[in-house]
Amino acid sequence: MGVDLKTIPASHAYIVASEDEILRNETALLLARSFLCEKGRALCGICPGCRRALAGTHPDLVTIERKTDDKGKVKRDISIEQIRQMVTDAWARPQEADRKVYIVKDAQLLNTAAQNAALKILEEPPAFDVFILCAESAEALLATIRSRCVVVRAGGERAVLQDEAAEEYLKLAAVGDRAGICLFMGKCEGFDSERLGTFLESLRAALSDVLCGRKKIPGLSGSEAVRLLALCDRAGEYLRLNVGPKHALGMLCALK
Ligand SMILES: [Zn+2]
């Protein structure tokens, strides 16, 4: 991805900054998983911690985002109540993981009062908490908040994130993890054709790397890589024929 997790200093609070909303949210999720993956910072993609984080069902991963009103319209900002609730909740111990991770999306929309409410917990958080604030820029947040956080600039291209996703898919396919693949595909369901196209390109590149020995995916044999490459081509063909991303994704669920 655009940011190398290993180079990010350990902290209890981060600002993931990018004007690209998808990029910053996905980077935040990767960072969150680095605290929830049961194989340490490996982001294995297959342990229960990774899987639940990806599926959005991890009890120790809490996402704070704009709510929708009665008419289904997304509200303009995140309320101070939501932040107060987070602060209260943050004192309760994690349920399954060692850490409890809070992702605040669109933190640039927090007003001063809400930011000050967040500051309380950022200043003296329990040792098990991690806070990840996603914002268009770090400067959109109060200096007092910034001084408590490690700023991660999610630069680079979305394509790089797709490389991570491709590798994750291959790890699951290699061990024939049907449930894992389904969860993974669920996460990709919102992809439009363009994003899915980039994902397929990353997948194809990773498979060629496996075939010529540049990359190793545990359990992924050469013949399986060839089969997956054919699946990729067929999914790509579906996309070109405008069959719709969902069908193309469905192709990739076909395990041997
Ligand atoms: Zn994991």
Side-chain angles (χ1 to χ4, degrees):
M1 65 167 182
V3 184
D4 184 358
L5 287 181
K6 291 180 204 80
T7 63
I8 301 177
S11 173
H12 67 276
Y14 300 87
I15 295 171
V16 176
S18 170
E19 284 185 4
D20 185 331
E21 186 186 349
I22 291 178
L23 192 59
R24 64 175 185 257
N25 290 346
E26 290 194 3
T27 304
L29 184 58
L30 276 175
L31 186 57
R33 273 177 53 207
S34 72
F35 293 100
L36 299 171
C37 174
E38 289 160 25
K39 309 252 163 76
R41 301 197 101 184
L43 298 178
C44 69
I46 51 180
C47 73
C50 278
R51 278 214 209 155
R52 284 191 200 164
L54 287 169
T57 57
H58 201 299
D60 299 315
L61 175 60
V62 182
T63 304
I64 290 100
E65 57 194 332
R66 289 188 284 165
K67 291 192 166 160
T68 46
D69 64 17
D70 306 339
K71 295 186 187 101
K73 234 181 105 192
V74 181
K75 291 192 177 172
R76 283 177 59 192
D77 48 24
I78 294 167
S79 70
I80 188 166
E81 295 315 319
Q82 286 175 273
I83 297 300
R84 286 193 182 130
Q85 221 168 45
M86 173 184 86
V87 172
T88 311
D89 184 71
W91 289 100
R93 296 197 66 84
Q95 294 180 42
E96 280 176 17
D98 300 333
R99 309 295 284 270
K100 201 159 155 187
V101 186
Y102 293 87
I103 295 180
V104 181
K105 289 185 178 173
D106 293 315
Q108 75 276 358
L109 299 176
L110 294 173
N111 64 25
T112 307
Q115 289 192 49
N116 279 324
L119 192 58
K120 275 190 201 143
I121 195 85
L122 291 179
E123 277 170 343
E124 274 178 274
F128 46 76
D129 279 338
V130 178
F131 297 90
I132 305 174
L133 310 176
C134 304
E136 284 174 356
S137 74
E139 290 69 31
L141 296 164
L142 296 177
T144 41
I145 295 260
R146 286 204 304 271
S147 68
R148 306 283 166 188
C149 298
V150 167
V151 177
V152 179
R153 286 182 213 283
E157 307 224 350
R158 285 186 196 171
V160 195
L161 277 172
Q162 302 295 18
D163 288 347
E164 292 266 325
E167 186 148 346
E168 211 169 284
Y169 168 82
L170 289 180
K171 280 183 193 162
L172 293 167
V175 293
D177 185 341
R178 208 171 285 272
I181 293 260
C182 287
L183 274 181
F184 178 86
M185 288 306 162
K187 191 187 69 151
C188 300
E189 218 151 68
F191 280 19
D192 55 16
S193 299
E194 193 196 323
R195 252 182 110 199
L196 187 56
T198 336
F199 173 67
L200 287 175
E201 269 167 43
S202 296
L203 200 52
R204 209 173 277 132
L207 284 165
S208 329
D209 282 354
V210 168
L211 284 171
C212 60
R214 276 196 299 265
K215 187 198 271 294
K216 262 212 164 338
I217 305 277
L220 187 66
S221 64
S223 59
E224 179 63 0
V226 170
R227 197 189 66 88
L228 290 173
L229 207 50
L231 271 189
C232 254
D233 287 342
R234 262 155 70 197
E237 194 59 32
Y238 270 35
L239 271 189
R240 270 189 296 281
L241 293 172
N242 256 325
V243 180
K246 265 209 173 134
H247 286 87
L249 272 177
M251 291 262 20
L252 298 175
C253 288
L255 295 179
K256 64 171 181 239

